[in-house]
Amino acid sequence: MSIEIRPFKPEDLDEVYAIERRSFLWPWSRGVFIHFYRVTPHLFLVAIADGRVIGYVMGEMEEDDGVKVGHVVNIAVHEAYRRRGIGTQLMREIERIFRELGAEKVRLEVREGNEGAKAFYRHLGYRETGMLKRYYWGLTALKMEKSLSDER
Ligand SMILES: CC(C)(COP(=O)(O)OP(=O)(O)OC[C@H]1O[C@@H](n2cnc3c(N)ncnc32)[C@H](O)[C@@H]1OP(=O)(O)O)[C@@H](O)C(=O)NCCC(=O)NCCS
């Protein structure tokens, strides 16, 4: 299966949003996707296969005491296309862009009970760095991080 990874376009919104609603108990609103497209269009990527959107990843750049950090804020792959390396390709591409923008590391949060996503991030080299109580509507999140410097 050939996959293209490219920046999100407004006409992708319905397909992206359909994946979001099927992937999360508390999906974001459509407005949040539009917001990210307006503010950080270069960090909102979609995966295309068979002429349709099958996954997406969104991020933002942050700074901690002068150190640039990439923050992955959302990722999902259509359930019919999971475990085929598409999430990995989306993460590799956003990590590449973060690196290009000068990030030294990448961080993200994952709901404590989301075992599939935790395994996915560990597989990609992310390590747990702490917990955030009541992060997701009262549920605990794990903070995870990965250094980009080893891969330069
Ligand atoms: C998490 C998610 C994006 C992973 O996407 P994906 O395309 O299926 O991931 P990949 O195929 O690239 O997985 C790479 C590796 O990660 C690990 N992995 C991925 N999903 C896993 C799961 N559900 N359980 C255990 N390990 C998993 C495996 O080691 C996998 O390699 P393998 O298939 O050869 O065993 C996808 O499951 C998803 O959309 N989940 C719902 C939304 C979500 O929870 N997003 C994360 C929010 S923090």
Side-chain angles (χ1 to χ4, degrees):
M1 184 179 47
S2 100
I3 306 288
E4 181 197 0
I5 302 214
R6 62 154 172 79
F8 169 89
K9 299 176 191 169
E11 55 264 37
D12 300 324
L13 182 60
D14 287 346
E15 287 175 300
V16 165
Y17 198 61
I19 298 171
E20 171 80 7
R21 290 189 56 184
R22 296 160 74 103
S23 299
F24 295 102
L25 288 172
W26 294 281
W28 283 357
S29 70
R30 290 168 69 95
V32 177
F33 290 89
I34 297 291
H35 169 80
F36 273 91
Y37 169 64
R38 290 199 179 125
V39 176
T40 48
H42 55 300
L43 290 168
F44 185 174
L45 309 175
V46 291
I48 308 289
D50 307 328
R52 63 181 183 140
V53 177
I54 55 161
Y56 54 89
V57 64
M58 301 155 77
E60 57 194 5
M61 284 294 285
E62 296 173 354
E63 206 163 310
D64 283 356
D65 301 323
V67 175
K68 288 184 178 167
V69 182
H71 184 188
V72 174
V73 298
N74 198 2
I75 180 168
V77 171
H78 188 293
E79 67 270 22
Y81 290 86
R82 287 183 192 158
R83 303 301 290 266
R84 299 204 218 170
I86 290 149
T88 299
Q89 286 189 53
L90 284 164
M91 288 294 290
R92 296 274 183 239
E93 182 59 9
I94 201 164
E95 288 170 356
R96 187 189 66 74
I97 297 170
F98 282 144
R99 203 179 291 117
E100 251 179 35
L101 295 171
E104 293 184 21
K105 58 185 180 178
V106 181
R107 71 168 152 236
L108 53 85
E109 296 80 31
V110 56
R111 185 170 55 77
E112 193 180 31
N114 192 346
E115 297 303 330
K118 279 159 53 181
F120 170 67
Y121 294 130
R122 285 192 195 112
H123 173 83
L124 292 171
Y126 287 79
R127 295 292 166 253
E128 286 150 35
T129 56
M131 294 221 294
L132 294 162
K133 296 272 183 200
R134 292 180 291 280
Y135 185 74
Y136 294 111
W137 299 270
L139 302 175
T140 299
L142 293 182
K143 296 198 283 182
M144 299 185 87
E145 231 175 69
K146 171 178 168 176
S147 166
L148 292 178
S149 50
D150 306 339
E151 300 181 12
R152 269 175 210 280

mmCIF file of all heavy atoms in Angstrom, residues 125-152:
data_model
loop_
_atom_site.group_PDB
_atom_site.id
_atom_site.type_symbol
_atom_site.label_atom_id
_atom_site.label_comp_id
_atom_site.label_asym_id
_atom_site.label_seq_id
_atom_site.Cartn_x
_atom_site.Cartn_y
_atom_site.Cartn_z
ATOM 1 N N GLY A 125 10.420 4.859 20.941
ATOM 2 C CA GLY A 125 11.535 5.361 21.744
ATOM 3 C C GLY A 125 11.159 6.393 22.788
ATOM 4 O O GLY A 125 12.039 7.002 23.404
ATOM 5 N N TYR A 126 9.851 6.607 23.006
ATOM 6 C CA TYR A 126 9.425 7.568 24.036
ATOM 7 C C TYR A 126 9.472 6.896 25.404
ATOM 8 O O TYR A 126 9.179 5.707 25.522
ATOM 9 C CB TYR A 126 8.012 8.084 23.747
ATOM 10 C CG TYR A 126 8.003 9.040 22.583
ATOM 11 C CD1 TYR A 126 8.053 8.553 21.272
ATOM 12 C CD2 TYR A 126 8.007 10.412 22.774
ATOM 13 C CE1 TYR A 126 8.098 9.418 20.192
ATOM 14 C CE2 TYR A 126 8.047 11.278 21.695
ATOM 15 C CZ TYR A 126 8.091 10.779 20.421
ATOM 16 O OH TYR A 126 8.150 11.648 19.364
ATOM 17 N N ARG A 127 9.844 7.694 26.422
ATOM 18 C CA ARG A 127 9.931 7.190 27.781
ATOM 19 C C ARG A 127 9.058 8.036 28.694
ATOM 20 O O ARG A 127 8.925 9.240 28.494
ATOM 21 C CB ARG A 127 11.390 7.255 28.286
ATOM 22 C CG ARG A 127 12.328 6.328 27.512
ATOM 23 C CD ARG A 127 12.031 4.839 27.755
ATOM 24 N NE ARG A 127 12.688 3.980 26.783
ATOM 25 C CZ ARG A 127 12.091 3.315 25.784
ATOM 26 N NH1 ARG A 127 10.782 3.399 25.619
ATOM 27 N NH2 ARG A 127 12.761 2.556 24.953
ATOM 28 N N GLU A 128 8.508 7.397 29.732
ATOM 29 C CA GLU A 128 7.615 8.119 30.647
ATOM 30 C C GLU A 128 8.424 9.062 31.531
ATOM 31 O O GLU A 128 9.452 8.671 32.080
ATOM 32 C CB GLU A 128 6.845 7.109 31.501
ATOM 33 C CG GLU A 128 5.778 6.440 30.668
ATOM 34 C CD GLU A 128 5.435 5.023 31.089
ATOM 35 O OE1 GLU A 128 5.472 4.765 32.303
ATOM 36 O OE2 GLU A 128 5.172 4.207 30.193
ATOM 37 N N THR A 129 7.924 10.298 31.674
ATOM 38 C CA THR A 129 8.664 11.274 32.479
ATOM 39 C C THR A 129 7.829 11.803 33.641
ATOM 40 O O THR A 129 8.315 12.616 34.412
ATOM 41 C CB THR A 129 9.112 12.473 31.614
ATOM 42 O OG1 THR A 129 7.961 13.033 30.989
ATOM 43 C CG2 THR A 129 10.121 12.056 30.555
ATOM 44 N N GLY A 130 6.579 11.381 33.747
ATOM 45 C CA GLY A 130 5.764 11.864 34.864
ATOM 46 C C GLY A 130 4.296 11.645 34.605
ATOM 47 O O GLY A 130 3.914 11.064 33.585
ATOM 48 N N MET A 131 3.487 12.123 35.564
ATOM 49 C CA MET A 131 2.040 11.950 35.445
ATOM 50 C C MET A 131 1.358 13.298 35.613
ATOM 51 O O MET A 131 1.862 14.177 36.300
ATOM 52 C CB MET A 131 1.545 11.028 36.556
ATOM 53 C CG MET A 131 2.064 9.620 36.421
ATOM 54 S SD MET A 131 0.808 8.411 36.802
ATOM 55 C CE MET A 131 0.539 8.695 38.518
ATOM 56 N N LEU A 132 0.209 13.426 34.988
ATOM 57 C CA LEU A 132 -0.601 14.625 35.142
ATOM 58 C C LEU A 132 -1.974 14.168 35.644
ATOM 59 O O LEU A 132 -2.727 13.532 34.909
ATOM 60 C CB LEU A 132 -0.763 15.341 33.797
ATOM 61 C CG LEU A 132 0.500 15.932 33.182
ATOM 62 C CD1 LEU A 132 0.287 16.210 31.698
ATOM 63 C CD2 LEU A 132 0.879 17.210 33.910
ATOM 64 N N LYS A 133 -2.266 14.438 36.888
ATOM 65 C CA LYS A 133 -3.554 14.026 37.460
ATOM 66 C C LYS A 133 -4.677 14.882 36.868
ATOM 67 O O LYS A 133 -4.500 16.080 36.657
ATOM 68 C CB LYS A 133 -3.534 14.227 38.978
ATOM 69 C CG LYS A 133 -2.515 13.354 39.687
ATOM 70 C CD LYS A 133 -3.131 12.014 40.030
ATOM 71 C CE LYS A 133 -2.121 11.178 40.806
ATOM 72 N NZ LYS A 133 -2.432 9.764 40.766
ATOM 73 N N ARG A 134 -5.805 14.256 36.633
ATOM 74 C CA ARG A 134 -7.010 14.943 36.135
ATOM 75 C C ARG A 134 -6.730 15.754 34.878
ATOM 76 O O ARG A 134 -7.164 16.883 34.738
ATOM 77 C CB ARG A 134 -7.606 15.844 37.229
ATOM 78 C CG ARG A 134 -8.176 15.061 38.389
ATOM 79 C CD ARG A 134 -8.760 15.945 39.447
ATOM 80 N NE ARG A 134 -7.734 16.689 40.148
ATOM 81 C CZ ARG A 134 -6.976 16.184 41.117
ATOM 82 N NH1 ARG A 134 -7.167 14.952 41.522
ATOM 83 N NH2 ARG A 134 -6.049 16.910 41.698
ATOM 84 N N TYR A 135 -5.979 15.159 33.967
ATOM 85 C CA TYR A 135 -5.609 15.875 32.733
ATOM 86 C C TYR A 135 -6.724 15.772 31.693
ATOM 87 O O TYR A 135 -7.105 16.751 31.062
ATOM 88 C CB TYR A 135 -4.306 15.287 32.187
ATOM 89 C CG TYR A 135 -3.765 16.003 30.989
ATOM 90 C CD1 TYR A 135 -3.158 17.246 31.116
ATOM 91 C CD2 TYR A 135 -3.842 15.441 29.720
ATOM 92 C CE1 TYR A 135 -2.640 17.899 30.020
ATOM 93 C CE2 TYR A 135 -3.324 16.094 28.617
ATOM 94 C CZ TYR A 135 -2.727 17.318 28.780
ATOM 95 O OH TYR A 135 -2.211 17.960 27.685
ATOM 96 N N TYR A 136 -7.230 14.539 31.512
ATOM 97 C CA TYR A 136 -8.298 14.332 30.526
ATOM 98 C C TYR A 136 -9.617 14.156 31.262
ATOM 99 O O TYR A 136 -9.928 13.058 31.724
ATOM 100 C CB TYR A 136 -8.061 13.058 29.720
ATOM 101 C CG TYR A 136 -6.848 13.065 28.831
ATOM 102 C CD1 TYR A 136 -5.759 12.256 29.115
ATOM 103 C CD2 TYR A 136 -6.812 13.835 27.678
ATOM 104 C CE1 TYR A 136 -4.655 12.223 28.277
ATOM 105 C CE2 TYR A 136 -5.712 13.803 26.842
ATOM 106 C CZ TYR A 136 -4.646 13.002 27.142
ATOM 107 O OH TYR A 136 -3.560 12.968 26.313
ATOM 108 N N TRP A 137 -10.395 15.186 31.386
ATOM 109 C CA TRP A 137 -11.727 15.081 31.993
ATOM 110 C C TRP A 137 -11.673 14.236 33.267
ATOM 111 O O TRP A 137 -12.448 13.301 33.453
ATOM 112 C CB TRP A 137 -12.738 14.493 30.994
ATOM 113 C CG TRP A 137 -12.855 15.365 29.799
ATOM 114 C CD1 TRP A 137 -13.732 16.403 29.626
ATOM 115 C CD2 TRP A 137 -12.055 15.306 28.608
ATOM 116 N NE1 TRP A 137 -13.509 16.995 28.406
ATOM 117 C CE2 TRP A 137 -12.509 16.350 27.766
ATOM 118 C CE3 TRP A 137 -11.017 14.488 28.181
ATOM 119 C CZ2 TRP A 137 -11.947 16.596 26.516
ATOM 120 C CZ3 TRP A 137 -10.447 14.728 26.944
ATOM 121 C CH2 TRP A 137 -10.917 15.773 26.134
ATOM 122 N N GLY A 138 -10.707 14.524 34.117
ATOM 123 C CA GLY A 138 -10.596 13.806 35.386
ATOM 124 C C GLY A 138 -9.682 12.594 35.321
ATOM 125 O O GLY A 138 -9.372 12.001 36.353
ATOM 126 N N LEU A 139 -9.254 12.187 34.144
ATOM 127 C CA LEU A 139 -8.399 10.996 34.028
ATOM 128 C C LEU A 139 -6.923 11.386 34.009
ATOM 129 O O LEU A 139 -6.564 12.464 33.528
ATOM 130 C CB LEU A 139 -8.734 10.235 32.745
ATOM 131 C CG LEU A 139 -10.188 9.774 32.628
ATOM 132 C CD1 LEU A 139 -10.431 9.156 31.272
ATOM 133 C CD2 LEU A 139 -10.516 8.784 33.733
ATOM 134 N N THR A 140 -6.111 10.469 34.524
ATOM 135 C CA THR A 140 -4.669 10.730 34.594
ATOM 136 C C THR A 140 -4.011 10.533 33.231
ATOM 137 O O THR A 140 -4.374 9.621 32.487
ATOM 138 C CB THR A 140 -4.030 9.769 35.617
ATOM 139 O OG1 THR A 140 -4.628 10.036 36.871
ATOM 140 C CG2 THR A 140 -2.532 9.953 35.714
ATOM 141 N N ALA A 141 -3.064 11.387 32.942
ATOM 142 C CA ALA A 141 -2.261 11.237 31.722
ATOM 143 C C ALA A 141 -0.818 10.944 32.109
ATOM 144 O O ALA A 141 -0.349 11.389 33.157
ATOM 145 C CB ALA A 141 -2.298 12.518 30.904
ATOM 146 N N LEU A 142 -0.139 10.194 31.259
ATOM 147 C CA LEU A 142 1.303 10.025 31.410
ATOM 148 C C LEU A 142 1.982 11.021 30.502
ATOM 149 O O LEU A 142 1.525 11.247 29.374
ATOM 150 C CB LEU A 142 1.730 8.629 30.965
ATOM 151 C CG LEU A 142 1.261 7.444 31.778
ATOM 152 C CD1 LEU A 142 1.845 6.171 31.187
ATOM 153 C CD2 LEU A 142 1.704 7.596 33.222
ATOM 154 N N LYS A 143 3.073 11.604 30.978
ATOM 155 C CA LYS A 143 3.895 12.457 30.118
ATOM 156 C C LYS A 143 5.002 11.577 29.549
ATOM 157 O O LYS A 143 5.610 10.781 30.294
ATOM 158 C CB LYS A 143 4.530 13.585 30.934
ATOM 159 C CG LYS A 143 3.519 14.541 31.518
ATOM 160 C CD LYS A 143 4.166 15.839 31.932
ATOM 161 C CE LYS A 143 4.915 15.696 33.242
ATOM 162 N NZ LYS A 143 5.513 16.982 33.687
ATOM 163 N N MET A 144 5.237 11.707 28.264
ATOM 164 C CA MET A 144 6.310 10.924 27.634
ATOM 165 C C MET A 144 7.203 11.856 26.821
ATOM 166 O O MET A 144 6.733 12.897 26.335
ATOM 167 C CB MET A 144 5.728 9.824 26.738
ATOM 168 C CG MET A 144 4.871 8.838 27.492
ATOM 169 S SD MET A 144 4.305 7.444 26.464
ATOM 170 C CE MET A 144 5.659 6.308 26.638
ATOM 171 N N GLU A 145 8.443 11.452 26.669
ATOM 172 C CA GLU A 145 9.423 12.309 26.001
ATOM 173 C C GLU A 145 10.436 11.477 25.237
ATOM 174 O O GLU A 145 10.705 10.330 25.610
ATOM 175 C CB GLU A 145 10.181 13.082 27.085
ATOM 176 C CG GLU A 145 10.220 14.563 26.847
ATOM 177 C CD GLU A 145 10.860 15.278 28.005
ATOM 178 O OE1 GLU A 145 12.088 15.119 28.203
ATOM 179 O OE2 GLU A 145 10.123 15.995 28.703
ATOM 180 N N LYS A 146 10.997 12.094 24.232
ATOM 181 C CA LYS A 146 12.065 11.437 23.466
ATOM 182 C C LYS A 146 13.063 12.508 23.021
ATOM 183 O O LYS A 146 12.655 13.573 22.535
ATOM 184 C CB LYS A 146 11.431 10.773 22.259
ATOM 185 C CG LYS A 146 12.392 10.239 21.241
ATOM 186 C CD LYS A 146 11.602 9.564 20.148
ATOM 187 C CE LYS A 146 12.434 9.243 18.961
ATOM 188 N NZ LYS A 146 11.676 8.514 17.956
ATOM 189 N N SER A 147 14.337 12.215 23.166
ATOM 190 C CA SER A 147 15.359 13.150 22.693
ATOM 191 C C SER A 147 15.526 12.980 21.189
ATOM 192 O O SER A 147 15.505 11.859 20.678
ATOM 193 C CB SER A 147 16.680 12.841 23.401
ATOM 194 O OG SER A 147 17.728 13.499 22.736
ATOM 195 N N LEU A 148 15.694 14.091 20.493
ATOM 196 C CA LEU A 148 15.937 14.006 19.051
ATOM 197 C C LEU A 148 17.428 14.066 18.747
ATOM 198 O O LEU A 148 17.839 13.831 17.620
ATOM 199 C CB LEU A 148 15.236 15.157 18.320
ATOM 200 C CG LEU A 148 13.707 15.133 18.311
ATOM 201 C CD1 LEU A 148 13.178 16.365 17.582
ATOM 202 C CD2 LEU A 148 13.182 13.871 17.637
ATOM 203 N N SER A 149 18.218 14.383 19.762
ATOM 204 C CA SER A 149 19.638 14.642 19.485
ATOM 205 C C SER A 149 20.379 13.384 19.024
ATOM 206 O O SER A 149 21.278 13.462 18.205
ATOM 207 C CB SER A 149 20.319 15.248 20.707
ATOM 208 O OG SER A 149 20.023 14.485 21.826
ATOM 209 N N ASP A 150 19.946 12.205 19.511
ATOM 210 C CA ASP A 150 20.613 10.958 19.126
ATOM 211 C C ASP A 150 20.454 10.671 17.643
ATOM 212 O O ASP A 150 21.223 9.927 17.065
ATOM 213 C CB ASP A 150 20.005 9.763 19.886
ATOM 214 C CG ASP A 150 20.019 10.013 21.367
ATOM 215 O OD1 ASP A 150 20.825 10.865 21.790
ATOM 216 O OD2 ASP A 150 19.230 9.369 22.091
ATOM 217 N N GLU A 151 19.403 11.229 17.041
ATOM 218 C CA GLU A 151 19.067 10.844 15.655
ATOM 219 C C GLU A 151 19.502 11.890 14.639
ATOM 220 O O GLU A 151 19.152 11.811 13.486
ATOM 221 C CB GLU A 151 17.557 10.638 15.542
ATOM 222 C CG GLU A 151 17.057 9.547 16.457
ATOM 223 C CD GLU A 151 15.568 9.324 16.322
ATOM 224 O OE1 GLU A 151 14.973 9.855 15.370
ATOM 225 O OE2 GLU A 151 15.008 8.621 17.161
ATOM 226 N N ARG A 152 20.190 12.937 15.097
ATOM 227 C CA ARG A 152 20.580 13.987 14.159
ATOM 228 C C ARG A 152 21.469 13.462 13.080
ATOM 229 O O ARG A 152 22.219 12.561 13.284
ATOM 230 C CB ARG A 152 21.282 15.111 14.908
ATOM 231 C CG ARG A 152 20.314 16.163 15.365
ATOM 232 C CD ARG A 152 21.009 17.210 16.198
ATOM 233 N NE ARG A 152 20.092 17.751 17.167
ATOM 234 C CZ ARG A 152 19.184 18.679 16.909
ATOM 235 N NH1 ARG A 152 19.064 19.183 15.733
ATOM 236 N NH2 ARG A 152 18.368 19.116 17.842
#
